[in-house]
Amino acid sequence: MKQLFLRRPFTGFTLVESIAVLFVMGSFCLLPVLMVAAWQEELTVRRFLNRFEKMVFVCQQIAVVEGRNTSIKNVAQPERMFLFYTGSVANNRPQPYPEDRFEALVIPEVLTGGNSIKEIKFLAESGHPSRLATVKFGWPKRGITYTYQFQLGGGRFEKE
């Protein structure tokens, strides 16, 4: 009977051990959230650059195949964006063909630049740019600069 009332030693975790476990578990939960944010930013930039390149190529192809003047305009209001047009320009306003409706390409907030040009025109039937043009986008967080140099005569651009 005496042995029933003897105190057994306590088994369990101390407060410090419990806090350490909570800290480790919190870290495991927080790291994926932080990684997803960085991954999402990179995905946004890559998608923008890929779409920019494709839209430039589409404008050049329309100029060559359909024999229409096309242009890319850089607009700062209401957002920083590029607008893609086919057709003629009358009274300093583009007159797009109704069948060619392109969405505006908004420059992501994490990128700087893109405003080094006001407009790039591609000549009908040749697809050549009307002048030498360079478009630069900077990604300050990563220290990366993307440069698109439009070539006369080749109708292409070089990406650095």
Side-chain angles (χ1 to χ4, degrees):
M1 178 90 160
K2 212 175 194 184
Q3 288 181 347
L4 290 175
F5 293 110
L6 288 177
R7 287 193 134 210
R8 294 184 190 177
F10 290 108
T11 58
F13 296 108
T14 64
L15 181 62
V16 173
E17 290 171 331
S18 298
I19 290 174
V21 167
L22 287 174
F23 177 75
V24 169
M25 294 299 288
S27 297
F28 285 147
C29 292
L30 185 62
L31 283 176
V33 170
L34 295 176
M35 293 305 291
V36 165
W39 177 75
Q40 189 175 22
E41 179 180 295
E42 182 171 346
L43 186 63
T44 301
V45 170
R46 300 267 183 232
R47 183 177 183 271
F48 166 77
L49 294 172
N50 188 25
R51 192 147 173 252
F52 178 76
E53 292 172 12
K54 284 184 180 182
M55 290 305 298
V56 167
F57 184 69
V58 165
C59 280
Q60 289 176 330
Q61 291 302 310
I62 288 174
V64 171
V65 174
E66 297 183 14
R68 300 179 186 174
N69 289 327
T70 60
S71 62
I72 302 171
K73 285 190 142 219
N74 186 352
V75 181
Q77 298 294 334
E79 296 179 271
R80 297 181 321 137
M81 67 178 84
F82 284 99
L83 301 174
F84 300 90
Y85 293 104
T86 62
S88 60
V89 176
N91 297 330
N92 206 15
R93 292 186 54 138
Q95 304 296 320
Y97 288 98
E99 65 269 15
D100 295 333
R101 298 196 199 293
F102 300 116
E103 289 182 27
L105 184 58
V106 178
I107 302 172
E109 292 180 14
V110 294
L111 289 180
T112 60
N115 54 359
S116 56
I117 58 148
K118 295 291 182 200
E119 183 175 21
I120 300 173
K121 294 180 182 179
F122 297 104
L123 304 175
E125 297 179 3
S126 69
H128 300 312
S130 58
R131 63 182 177 90
L132 285 175
T134 301
V135 180
K136 290 186 178 186
F137 300 104
W139 195 357
K141 216 181 229 186
R142 299 265 176 109
I144 300 173
T145 302
Y146 299 97
T147 305
Y148 293 92
Q149 176 70 46
F150 292 87
Q151 307 291 319
L152 284 176
R156 295 286 184 180
F157 60 88
E158 288 185 12
K159 179 181 174 185
E160 296 176 12

